[in-house]
Amino acid sequence: MQLIHLSEVDSTSAFLGGEAREFPPWTVVLADRQRKGRGQQGRTWHSPAGGLYASVLLGPEVVSPVFTLLGGVAVLEACRAISGSAEIGLKWVNDLVFDRRKLGGLLAEVVHRKRLILGIGINLAPVDLPDAACLWQIAGREVDRLALLEEIVARLECWVTRWGDGGARPVIAAWSAHSVTLGREVRVETAGETLTGTATTLDEEGRLVLELPDGRRRQIASGTVRLADGRYA
Ligand code: BTN
C-alpha cells in the first residue's frame, strides 16, 4: 500500500477525493486528527487524537454497491484479529458494534471514474460519547494503529479478490454472518420516512429487506437503523 500519513487534515476522504486523479488505487491516507470528519448520512465524525481515521482508494472501477459491505467485513475481520475478540459485529449499513455500542464506522463515497473511497473511523482509546466502545478496552491493551491499518488493507485486498472471483454472494454471506441487525425488530430512518419492522435479509445489492407489520417487504438502500425500542443496537 502507498501510505500518506498526515498529522491533521479536514477529512482523509475529502483529501483523497479532491485529488483522486493523482493517486493510484490502494493509496491509503491516515490522519492523527480530522478537523471536519465526515460520517454517514451527512453527520459529523468527531475525530480527536486517539482514533484511527483512514481512507482507502479502491479502483480502478468499483461499481457494485456491495463494496460498502465488503469494506465492513474486512474492517470487522481486522478488528477481531487484532483485538482477539469475536464479539465485534456489524450493524447495517456499516457500523462496527461491540456490546451494543459503536466501535467505529465506514463511509463509502464514489468519486471520479467510478472509484470508491472507503473512509474508516475506529475508536482506539476511550471516547466521551454515548453508546461508544473502543478497541483498547476490547483488547485489554493498547493496539498499534499501523498494525491495525495494515491488517485492514490486507483483508480488503483479500475480499476484493474474492468479490472478483465469486461476486456479491460471498460478501453478503459474510456480512450476514456477522450481523447484529438481521432478525431484529428495527426502526429505519430513510430520507423521506421512518419505518418499523423486522430486518430479515440483505438482497443481492446489499439493501436491507424489511418486513413490515402488514407483511409487505421493503428494500432499503440507505438509512439509519436503531432497534425498534430506540436502543442503538
Ligand atoms: C459513520 O458515520 O459511522 C462513518 C464514519 C466514517 C469516518 C471516517 S474517519 C476517516 C474517513 N474520513 C472522514 O471524513 N470520514 C471517514
Side-chain angles (χ1 to χ4, degrees):
M1 73 176 171
Q2 180 188 318
L3 178 65
I4 300 169
H5 188 170
L6 308 167
S7 56
E8 190 168 296
V9 69
D10 277 353
S11 154
T12 52
S13 292
F15 182 89
L16 257 185
E19 299 162 58
R21 284 191 191 88
E22 306 201 354
F23 297 119
W26 295 105
T27 301
V28 180
V29 177
L30 172 72
D32 300 338
R33 287 175 300 276
Q34 296 183 119
R35 288 181 292 263
K36 295 181 188 166
R38 309 204 288 227
Q40 295 163 14
Q41 308 293 324
R43 289 188 283 261
T44 298
W45 186 257
H46 186 55
S47 313
L52 180 143
Y53 313 112
S55 297
V56 183
L57 183 65
L58 300 182
E61 281 218 346
V62 173
V63 287
S64 168
V66 170
F67 264 72
T68 305
L69 301 176
L70 181 155
V73 171
V75 175
L76 169 129
E77 287 182 349
C79 288
R80 283 185 170 195
I82 292 275
S83 70
S85 169
E87 304 294 310
I88 301 167
L90 288 166
K91 171 171 141 353
W92 194 85
V93 55
N94 244 340
D95 282 9
L96 296 160
V97 176
F98 177 82
D99 190 23
R100 300 176 179 272
R101 291 172 290 136
K102 182 158 178 166
L103 169 63
L106 280 84
L107 178 66
E109 297 172 280
V110 177
V111 290
H112 324 287
R113 299 184 195 164
K114 295 183 181 166
R115 285 178 171 195
L116 189 94
I117 293 176
L118 216 49
I120 303 157
I122 301 171
N123 304 328
L124 298 180
V127 286
D128 191 15
L129 288 173
D131 292 330
C134 78
L135 204 61
W136 291 358
Q137 281 176 344
I138 296 169
R141 61 181 168 84
E142 290 196 8
V143 168
D144 183 71
R145 195 171 46 148
L146 276 179
L148 175 60
L149 185 58
E150 278 170 12
E151 188 71 29
I152 288 171
V153 174
R155 305 262 173 175
L156 273 173
E157 286 171 344
C158 184
W159 272 105
V160 169
T161 304
R162 261 186 234 177
W163 178 81
D165 294 342
R169 200 177 290 250
V171 177
I172 288 173
W175 194 98
S176 302
H178 299 314
S179 159
V180 299
T181 302
L182 300 181
R184 312 294 299 271
E185 293 298 308
V186 297
R187 196 172 72 204
V188 187
E189 277 177 34
T190 66
E193 56 188 339
T194 301
L195 298 165
T196 304
T198 309
T200 58
T201 51
L202 300 183
D203 72 7
E204 67 285 352
E205 295 198 357
R207 289 175 297 203
L208 183 66
V209 181
L210 194 67
E211 186 173 307
L212 304 178
D214 63 7
R216 281 181 305 139
R217 289 185 169 231
R218 286 281 297 270
Q219 287 154 310
I220 316 279
S222 82
T224 302
V225 172
R226 292 187 81 89
L227 295 182
D229 63 14
R231 283 181 298 160
Y232 167 71

